[in-house]
Amino acid sequence: MRTSKLTSLSDATNLVSDGMRLALGGFGIYQHPMAFVRELVRKQRRDLTIVGHVSGIEADMLIGAGAVKRLETSYIGHESYGLAKNTARLAESGRLEIVNYSEYTAFDRFRASQDNLPFWPCYYLAGNDILKRNPDIKQAVCPISGRNFYAIPAAQPDVVVIHTSVGDEYGNAIIPQDRQLIQSLDIIMSRSCSTLIVTVEKIISNAELRQRAGEVEIPAYRTTCIVEAPNGAHPTSMLGYYGSDKPHYGLYVEASATPEGFEQYLRKWIFGIKGEAEYQTLVATSGDKNEQQE
């Protein structure tokens, strides 16, 4: 008999403990599991390592909240909305360690974990300073070709969290075939771990999901738990559902410019309310309007 894996945000975040390696799906300003991130901030986790590729508000928010000791990524920022000011401030003060990878190798680290490999080989690091700043990358000799290559350590996340469109209570989740790079990367990430948390815009029946079986990229056996979180990527965009919330991004970037401003942001949008449902109500009544990204 199949077992329901449907759970609450609060119970899902209990799977993340202090000191874990956490990977969060999405890319830049697109499709991050922000409902999960907000709940994790409420739990006041500490000493996390964020394993990313192109990181954004999901990592910067956790960093600003004091949850992160180490960030492994190729980029962190809000693209056209501005810099990741929490990250810059804590890194400059020595309270955050940042480990640099190129964008491609940051992706490849998850491919290595997906295939249960300790590293991913590459030849294309020469000509930049990443090797000077990242001692975890090792140079080696290929035993077959004799060529020198660089061994990029696998991502090895303890927990991966992604946000997608729909799924059923058993943990089967759809990632549409008509998708972009962001969603394809989420699929790779979902296969790179033993603990996978999926948040979805909507839970649908298994019968309805079977009618779209060709779009099920995350099968139930891969999923540890699944959470219904409508508008759960806000303020980032969600493919086919909504664009990024430009006014809220502006508000966030301005608030994160100082510790005091960010504390006020957390007080209003996270700690001053009871949970995600109240957050969504606050968003809906704040006067901000989502604007579709091109």
Side-chain angles (χ1 to χ4, degrees):
M1 183 176 179
R2 289 178 295 183
T3 302
S4 175
K5 296 183 178 181
L6 184 61
T7 190
S8 66
L9 273 173
S10 180
D11 286 344
T13 54
N14 287 338
L15 294 173
V16 178
S17 302
D18 292 353
M20 279 189 168
R21 294 176 62 81
L22 175 65
L24 300 162
F27 180 107
I29 58 173
Y30 310 100
Q31 206 161 321
H32 292 298
M34 293 304 301
F36 184 92
V37 168
R38 287 185 284 270
E39 185 63 25
L40 196 59
V41 170
R42 291 186 189 98
K43 294 292 178 66
Q44 298 187 52
R45 293 294 184 266
R46 293 294 180 264
D47 296 326
L48 299 175
T49 294
I50 299 295
V51 192
H53 40 73
V54 177
S55 306
I57 190 173
E58 83 296 351
D60 189 66
M61 184 178 290
L62 286 167
I63 289 166
V68 181
K69 69 174 182 180
R70 178 179 166 106
L71 172 66
E72 302 174 5
T73 191
S74 70
Y75 165 89
I76 181 166
H78 312 301
E79 299 188 13
S80 61
Y81 300 130
L83 301 175
K85 297 180 181 179
N86 285 325
T87 302
R89 184 169 59 251
L90 269 71
E92 289 168 0
S93 69
R95 289 178 288 167
L96 174 69
E97 179 185 5
I98 297 182
V99 182
N100 296 288
Y101 289 89
S102 67
E103 187 170 316
Y104 278 113
T105 57
F107 301 155
D108 289 341
R109 301 184 71 205
F110 291 97
R111 300 181 198 276
S113 290
Q114 173 187 251
D115 293 342
N116 198 29
L117 297 172
F119 66 87
W120 191 268
C122 77
Y123 297 104
Y124 45 80
L125 283 178
N128 60 52
D129 287 338
I130 287 177
L131 289 173
K132 297 179 182 178
R133 299 178 178 274
N134 188 342
D136 295 337
I137 299 174
K138 307 298 183 182
Q139 190 168 0
V141 178
C142 175
I144 295 176
S145 69
R147 290 181 63 188
N148 290 331
F149 71 92
Y150 300 103
I152 311 300
Q156 297 182 320
D158 294 310
V159 179
V160 169
V161 189
I162 69 166
H163 185 73
T164 188
S165 54
V166 297
D168 68 12
E169 65 174 303
Y170 305 112
N172 298 295
I174 283 176
I175 296 182
Q177 293 177 344
D178 184 13
R179 57 177 178 258
Q180 299 172 339
L181 171 66
I182 302 151
Q183 291 75 36
S184 295
L185 290 171
D186 280 354
I187 294 171
I188 293 171
M189 291 179 71
S190 75
R191 299 169 181 172
S192 69
C193 61
S194 58
T195 300
L196 172 65
I197 300 169
V198 179
T199 65
V200 294
E201 290 291 316
K202 184 180 180 181
I203 293 291
I204 62 176
S205 69
N206 182 258
E208 186 178 354
L209 183 138
R210 285 175 177 271
Q211 296 177 7
R212 301 174 61 183
E215 296 178 273
V216 177
E217 294 284 1
I218 301 176
Y221 77 87
R222 290 272 340 135
T223 305
T224 304
C225 64
I226 190 166
V227 179
E228 186 172 52
N231 208 33
H234 181 273
T236 67
S237 63
M238 174 67 201
L239 183 66
Y241 284 75
Y242 45 84
S244 60
D245 188 333
K246 293 182 179 180
H248 194 95
Y249 254 112
L251 183 155
Y252 177 89
V253 172
E254 181 180 0
S256 62
T258 65
E260 296 78 15
F262 188 64
E263 183 179 350
Q264 291 177 8
Y265 176 93
L266 293 179
R267 190 181 304 122
K268 176 177 180 179
W269 296 96
I270 295 183
F271 293 121
I273 54 180
K274 293 181 180 179
E276 185 64 17
E278 286 195 13
Y279 171 86
Q280 296 297 341
T281 299
L282 185 59
V283 168
T285 58
S286 68
D288 296 349
K289 294 181 179 180
N290 288 356
E291 298 183 30
Q292 186 67 38
Q293 288 292 113
E294 295 182 358

